[in-house]
Amino acid sequence: MSLVELRSRLRRSDRPAAFAVVGDLLLCCVVLWWMVAGAGATTREEETASWILGAKVYGIWLAAGLVLFAGAGLPRTLLGHLATMLLTPGVLFLLVMLLSLR
């Protein structure tokens, strides 16, 4: 199979792959919980280390998805990944703020 055939096969699977990006939503929730809750951290240094590790995982996942989906020519999947990864933290933050007002 040539590279051109592989790319055309991937482009045909763009619509089903776009729905698989919903897994980003789960990852975002877990990583943000990890960053905020500290994943069981008991000291300030452990909380800081948890925050840094969570930010690295989040950034690498975002960048890897952008590179992978753009390189494979999957525009719907790319937009779904980008929207999910950028909107989820804002929505979760807004939800936490609204719940804290109660």
Side-chain angles (χ1 to χ4, degrees):
M1 178 183 322
S2 72
L3 187 60
V4 173
E5 291 172 355
L6 179 62
R7 186 175 169 103
S8 67
R9 184 178 288 178
L10 281 172
R11 291 200 69 153
R12 284 192 304 267
S13 68
D14 186 28
R15 184 166 287 161
F19 292 110
V21 173
V22 174
D24 285 343
L25 182 65
L26 180 62
L27 176 93
C28 284
C29 292
V30 169
V31 168
L32 290 172
W33 169 81
W34 190 1
M35 291 169 65
V36 172
T42 56
T43 65
R44 184 68 182 147
E45 291 80 20
E46 290 175 349
E47 287 179 2
T48 303
S50 178
W51 178 264
I52 291 170
L53 182 61
K56 285 181 182 178
V57 168
Y58 185 83
I60 290 170
W61 189 267
L62 176 64
L66 292 176
V67 169
L68 178 68
F69 299 137
L74 302 170
R76 286 185 186 114
T77 308
L78 175 67
L79 289 175
H81 173 73
L82 189 61
T84 303
M85 292 294 286
L86 296 180
L87 292 177
T88 301
V91 170
L92 289 174
F93 179 75
L94 183 64
L95 182 65
V96 168
M97 288 296 119
L98 289 175
L99 289 175
S100 70
L101 294 176
R102 292 182 128 196

